[in-house]
Amino acid sequence: MGYLTTHILDTTKGIAAANVEIQLFKHNADGQRTLIHSTVSNSDGRCDKPLLEADNFTAGVYELEFAIDEYFAKQGIESKEPSFLNTVVIRFGISDEAAHYHIPLLVSPYSYSTYRGS
């Protein structure tokens, strides 16, 4: 069975981003989305368990939301209101229900990047 994982790296400090609120949504056929999981990143910038696995790991379109503005505010990094990056949203598709999908987020207060990791 496949599964979904993520991790967050703070490229401003060169460290893992701990205590970032993460939400996972699934899109249905009519474009509506449903919240299916909420968690917070651990001290390694990862989640303690996969975000999606076993029978819940199905093909479809998903979104991960990362509360990045809250993370940087907790780090004492000042920004104008509203912050440039608020909630970072990554929309992606799962087509192979037997694969491991890993979505890393590399982030600073003014930029982010992602890729399909391993």
Side-chain angles (χ1 to χ4, degrees), residues 6-7 16 18 27 30 35-36 39 59 63 68 71 76 88 104 106-107:
T6 189
H7 77 273
H27 285 256
D30 64 0
L35 176 65
I36 56 175
T39 192
E63 282 184 358
I68 293 305
Y71 166 76
V88 171
L106 289 73
V107 67

Side-chain angles (χ1 to χ4, degrees), residues 9-32:
L9 300 172
D10 177 345
T11 59
T12 305
K13 295 182 177 181
I15 61 171
N19 299 312
V20 176
E21 293 182 26
I22 303 166
Q23 294 185 312
L24 175 65
F25 296 86
K26 183 171 185 182
H27 285 256
N28 62 25
D30 64 0
Q32 299 297 314

Side-chain angles (χ1 to χ4, degrees), residues 3-105:
Y3 60 104
L4 172 67
T5 57
T6 189
H7 77 273
I8 309 147
L9 300 172
D10 177 345
T11 59
T12 305
K13 295 182 177 181
I15 61 171
N19 299 312
V20 176
E21 293 182 26
I22 303 166
Q23 294 185 312
L24 175 65
F25 296 86
K26 183 171 185 182
H27 285 256
N28 62 25
D30 64 0
Q32 299 297 314
R33 62 186 201 153
T34 302
L35 176 65
I36 56 175
H37 189 75
S38 292
T39 192
V40 176
S41 61
N42 63 23
S43 62
D44 194 32
R46 299 176 185 273
C47 300
D48 291 330
K49 61 181 188 173
L51 297 169
L52 197 59
E53 62 184 331
D55 293 338
N56 296 321
F57 190 81
T58 58
V61 176
Y62 294 84
E63 282 184 358
L64 277 171
E65 289 190 355
F66 301 88
I68 293 305
D69 58 340
E70 294 174 12
Y71 166 76
F72 283 116
K74 291 177 200 172
Q75 301 304 306
I77 296 177
E78 295 182 27
S79 73
K80 294 180 181 179
E81 290 297 324
S83 56
F84 180 72
L85 287 181
N86 192 284
T87 302
V88 171
V89 179
I90 301 172
R91 184 179 294 178
F92 60 97
I94 291 175
S95 58
D96 182 351
E97 294 178 350
H100 173 202
Y101 284 74
H102 182 67
I103 314 266
L105 176 65

